[in-house]
Amino acid sequence: MRHGPVVPRVESALRTMLAEGRWRPGERLPNEVALAAELGVGRSSVREAVRLLAHDGLVEVRHGSGTYAAQPPAPAGEGDMRRLLRRARLREVYEVRRALEVEAARLAAGRIRPEDIGRLRDHLSLREERVGGDPAAFIDADLAFHRTVVELSGNAVLLGLFTSVLPVLREALVEMVSHEPALPDVSCAHAELLDGLARGDADAAIAATVSHLEAVMELFGSDSDSDTSEIKSDNSEKKEVAAP
């Protein structure tokens, strides 16, 4: 890859090919070796991208037979928020997350109590203990910290919105930590958020939240970054442990 995580770009390339009708519903896709050679990436990247497409119902993996283009699923109906978010790109999930957590940080800075700081500090300590360990356990600790910040905003509607997005966010983050290399370490931004809240400094809490989220969002690039022409060599897929 020229820059950015490999698997999301492979997925985007295959998704584009399917949308453009390169393979009709029911038609068999080339095998992993052929697709990897065409896209200039490793077979493991193709395998993981196909798994994600199968999860979305865009392809059907028939063991012992191959991978086949599926009939595209109908668009999510109105009110089907979970399905819509599951199909959204990770950047879109993060855009929603940023909107919710920035406001939560602002409100929490003005409403937090001394005893709440201890809860946040415990969450943050557990998060740090789990860095580099099991991705799901790490993400659970990370999201517990952020959910508590939203809870301390004192806004029940904001908490309800964040809670509704949480399952999709967790799934996306676990996959990101498991498969994407060179994630930025945003531990300092988390510590700065806690410090800003402890001081009741809304501007500092907001700045730390934005710094944390946008450092990760930079990985996703712009819409044009998903062009298949940018898929190049995949010499190394070793994950560097970092925080989401």
Side-chain angles (χ1 to χ4, degrees):
M1 304 300 296
R2 191 168 75 190
H3 55 80
V6 178
V7 172
R9 292 177 180 275
V10 176
E11 180 193 3
S12 177
L14 294 176
R15 191 181 291 270
T16 298
M17 294 176 189
L18 288 163
E20 292 176 348
R22 178 165 176 177
W23 304 288
R24 297 185 302 275
E27 184 177 353
R28 183 178 176 180
L29 276 64
N31 61 28
E32 283 181 5
V33 175
L35 288 174
E38 178 179 349
L39 298 174
V41 299
R43 289 178 60 185
S44 61
S45 292
V46 172
R47 187 180 309 117
E48 179 61 19
V50 167
R51 188 188 71 80
L52 295 173
L53 293 174
H55 179 72
D56 276 359
L58 296 179
V59 299
E60 178 185 356
V61 178
R62 303 175 189 173
H63 296 290
S65 177
T67 301
Y68 295 80
Q71 186 69 39
E78 184 176 358
D80 191 0
M81 180 64 72
R82 178 172 174 79
R83 183 178 178 186
L84 177 62
L85 288 175
R86 186 183 296 117
R87 297 186 183 284
R89 289 177 303 175
L90 193 53
R91 180 179 180 86
E92 293 172 329
V93 175
Y94 256 72
E95 287 171 347
V96 173
R97 183 181 183 185
R98 179 176 57 186
L100 296 175
E101 292 196 35
V102 166
E103 180 62 12
R106 185 185 72 81
L107 293 173
R111 298 173 178 176
I112 198 166
R113 301 166 301 176
E115 57 266 31
D116 297 325
I117 303 301
R119 289 175 57 200
L120 287 174
R121 193 167 283 123
D122 289 343
H123 284 312
L124 198 55
S125 295
L126 182 59
R127 177 187 181 278
E128 292 305 307
E129 289 175 9
R130 293 182 177 179
V131 169
D134 176 64
F138 168 66
I139 291 303
D140 286 341
D142 178 74
L143 290 178
F145 171 81
H146 290 286
R147 189 188 182 283
T148 299
V149 174
V150 178
E151 178 186 337
L152 295 176
S153 73
N155 187 309
V157 175
L158 194 62
L159 179 60
L161 289 171
F162 184 80
T163 301
S164 70
V165 174
L166 206 53
V168 177
L169 181 58
R170 181 186 184 276
E171 180 181 350
L173 290 177
V174 170
E175 289 195 357
M176 183 171 69
V177 170
S178 299
H179 302 294
E180 298 190 13
L183 290 173
D185 186 350
V186 291
S187 297
C188 287
H190 283 74
E192 290 167 0
L193 171 57
L194 177 56
D195 180 66
L197 292 173
R199 292 185 287 108
D201 188 335
D203 289 340
I206 290 171
T209 301
V210 171
S211 174
H212 154 225
L213 297 176
E214 292 195 348
V216 180
M217 290 176 71
E218 287 180 3
L219 288 177
F220 310 146
S222 61
D223 292 343
S224 61
D225 287 343
S226 62
D227 192 285
T228 59
S229 65
E230 292 192 5
I231 296 185
K232 294 187 178 291
S233 62
D234 182 22
N235 296 323
S236 172
E237 294 184 50
K238 181 178 179 182
K239 181 176 73 68
E240 297 180 13
V241 175

